[in-house]
Amino acid sequence: MKMFLFNAVLGIFFIANEANGSKVFNLIAIDKGIVVAPFHSTTAHYRQCFSICSLNPKCLSFDHSYTSDIGECSFYDVGVAVFNQTTKFQEKIGSKYHSIHMATDCADWYRLGHRENGVYEVHLLSKYKRRVYCHMGAAEGGWMAFQRRFDGSVQFIGRNWEEFKNGFGNPEGEYYLGNELLHLLTTSEDYDYLVEARSYGQASSARRKLIHKVHIESEEEDYKIQYRLEDISEDYGGATSYGTLMRGCRFSTFDHDRDTAPDQNCGQLYGGWWHAWCHDVAMNGHYSHTETPVSPASGIIWRDWRGHGETLKNSLLMIRRSSFKQ
């Protein structure tokens, strides 16, 4: 079955029309190409381009001359997502551009009709293939977890700078996506940040906090977190100041101390985080199977909700493109 969609502004056709192996290719553009250098080019028959790209794990898209059966194939390690209208195109007369069918994040899967919470495969920034946990039920859906904790099966305390940079764990269980990807995503366009946490007490009560347009700066800036105070929304279920203290803080780990607390290494004591005064908020500390922290103020801490003396049971930290529309 073929699906057609025409974008009059870009003059781009979307036609789901070819399958080869495990990859499904869509005709994305005619007489246009993406503003990216190919990683490989060769002269081949039009249909050979599909086979070459399908058999190369690095290949996500290609273009080929439509003026003759045999012409130049150019292969790219980036692709165009189903709902991605931000990709930059340039005029390339006589060429057809194809990309694999893919979702760049949980919001794309949501728009494709998926409503179940769970692990999905995404191509972040149309390039980085990852499996992530998607929360489809919170705050209108389509949220991608960059931190997930619920049973203590993955150790967060004691992780060094490189581990928080690159990520660790497994999205089927507990995991951290990685600060470098958070930086690349949140500086590519505006992203919102959603916190969902659950306590042991009060019939396992929950709180949420939404912060709009969060940017994570580069490693050279120690993955500093930036947003405007006016972009912190009211909480779902109670007023707390989560977010006000983190603004402008650099990420800190035991081996890369960048917190603002004098004479303390917050990353060593309370886990890698955007620490201001150590444990006002610290979501990557020791996991405890009761509400009592392993050591004072050392758990999953949200001080102005549950205080220093109580650690949380679950935490889910998520991002979603600010431009998301159902």
Side-chain angles (χ1 to χ4, degrees):
M1 182 178 68
K2 295 185 178 181
M3 298 179 293
F4 299 85
L5 176 63
F6 178 69
N7 184 310
V9 176
L10 293 178
I12 298 171
F13 292 86
F14 292 78
I15 310 174
N17 67 340
E18 292 285 350
N20 193 309
S22 61
K23 296 182 181 179
V24 176
F25 293 95
N26 301 296
L27 173 59
I28 302 295
I30 298 174
D31 293 329
K32 291 183 181 293
I34 57 174
V35 187
V36 176
F39 70 84
H40 179 64
S41 296
T42 189
T43 300
H45 189 280
Y46 172 70
R47 297 196 64 81
Q48 287 180 301
C49 298
F50 287 91
S51 297
I52 294 170
C53 191
S54 179
L55 294 172
N56 189 333
K58 185 178 180 180
C59 187
L60 299 179
S61 63
F62 67 90
D63 59 38
H64 183 276
S65 170
Y66 66 77
T67 58
S68 61
D69 286 341
I70 297 177
E72 184 179 25
C73 287
S74 295
F75 303 97
Y76 305 92
D77 61 357
V78 298
V80 176
V82 177
F83 298 108
N84 186 355
Q85 298 296 317
T86 63
T87 300
K88 294 181 179 179
F89 286 85
Q90 61 187 352
E91 185 177 78
K92 195 171 184 179
I93 301 300
S95 177
K96 290 182 178 180
Y97 174 75
H98 292 77
S99 177
I100 67 169
H101 177 100
M102 61 186 180
T104 60
D105 58 17
C106 298
D108 280 349
W109 281 116
Y110 188 93
R111 293 182 64 183
L112 285 167
H114 295 265
R115 298 294 185 271
E116 295 294 322
N117 296 341
V119 177
Y120 292 77
E121 185 175 277
V122 297
H123 289 77
L124 301 175
L125 299 172
S126 301
K127 183 174 182 179
Y128 302 98
K129 184 178 177 180
R130 295 289 189 275
R131 288 170 58 78
V132 298
Y133 184 83
C134 296
H135 196 333
M136 301 304 193
E140 301 175 337
W143 291 92
M144 180 176 71
F146 70 86
Q147 186 251 41
R148 185 182 185 213
R149 305 189 70 185
F150 59 92
D151 64 1
S153 58
V154 172
Q155 183 67 268
F156 276 65
I157 197 76
R159 296 280 182 174
N160 64 28
W161 180 262
E162 287 296 312
E163 289 175 296
F164 274 105
K165 172 184 175 179
N166 297 315
F168 54 85
N170 191 313
E172 278 84 2
E174 298 190 328
Y175 80 112
Y176 191 83
L177 180 64
N179 288 335
E180 184 63 20
L181 277 175
L182 285 178
H183 158 64
L184 294 173
L185 288 167
T186 61
T187 55
S188 67
E189 60 180 294
D190 289 333
Y191 272 76
D192 296 337
Y193 172 113
L194 182 66
V195 184
E196 184 171 281
R198 190 171 295 275
S199 71
Y200 282 98
Q202 296 184 345
S204 193
S205 60
R207 287 291 185 275
R208 293 179 184 167
K209 164 64 75 176
L210 180 63
I211 307 173
H212 298 280
K213 299 181 179 179
V214 169
H215 291 181
I216 307 297
E217 302 301 336
S218 68
E219 184 175 17
E220 289 70 26
E221 293 292 320
D222 301 311
Y223 299 120
K224 182 190 296 184
I225 187 168
Q226 301 281 28
Y227 47 87
R228 301 182 305 174
L229 289 178
E230 55 266 36
D231 285 328
I232 302 175
S233 73
E234 290 298 320
D235 296 288
Y236 301 88
T240 69
S241 62
Y242 187 115
T244 57
L245 293 174
M246 290 193 309
R247 187 175 68 105
C249 288
R250 298 172 185 269
F251 200 86
S252 189
T253 58
F254 75 87
D255 61 338
H256 195 90
D257 186 11
R258 296 295 186 272
D259 59 68
T260 60
D263 303 321
Q264 290 193 73
N265 185 328
C266 299
Q268 182 174 21
L269 294 170
Y270 308 111
W273 190 252
W274 295 276
H275 290 289
W277 292 95
C278 277
H279 46 266
D280 288 293
V281 175
M283 308 300 278
N284 292 328
H286 284 285
Y287 190 87
S288 174
H289 292 277
T290 70
E291 66 183 34
T292 303
V294 174
S295 58
S298 67
I300 304 174
I301 299 299
W302 187 340
R303 189 203 64 177
D304 56 2
W305 174 34
R306 304 304 299 168
H308 282 152
E310 181 177 331
T311 185
L312 302 179
K313 182 179 182 181
N314 297 354
S315 69
L316 198 59
L317 311 182
M318 300 168 279
I319 57 172
R320 186 184 68 192
R321 297 192 307 266
S322 302
S323 59
F324 170 75
K325 294 181 181 179
Q326 294 188 28

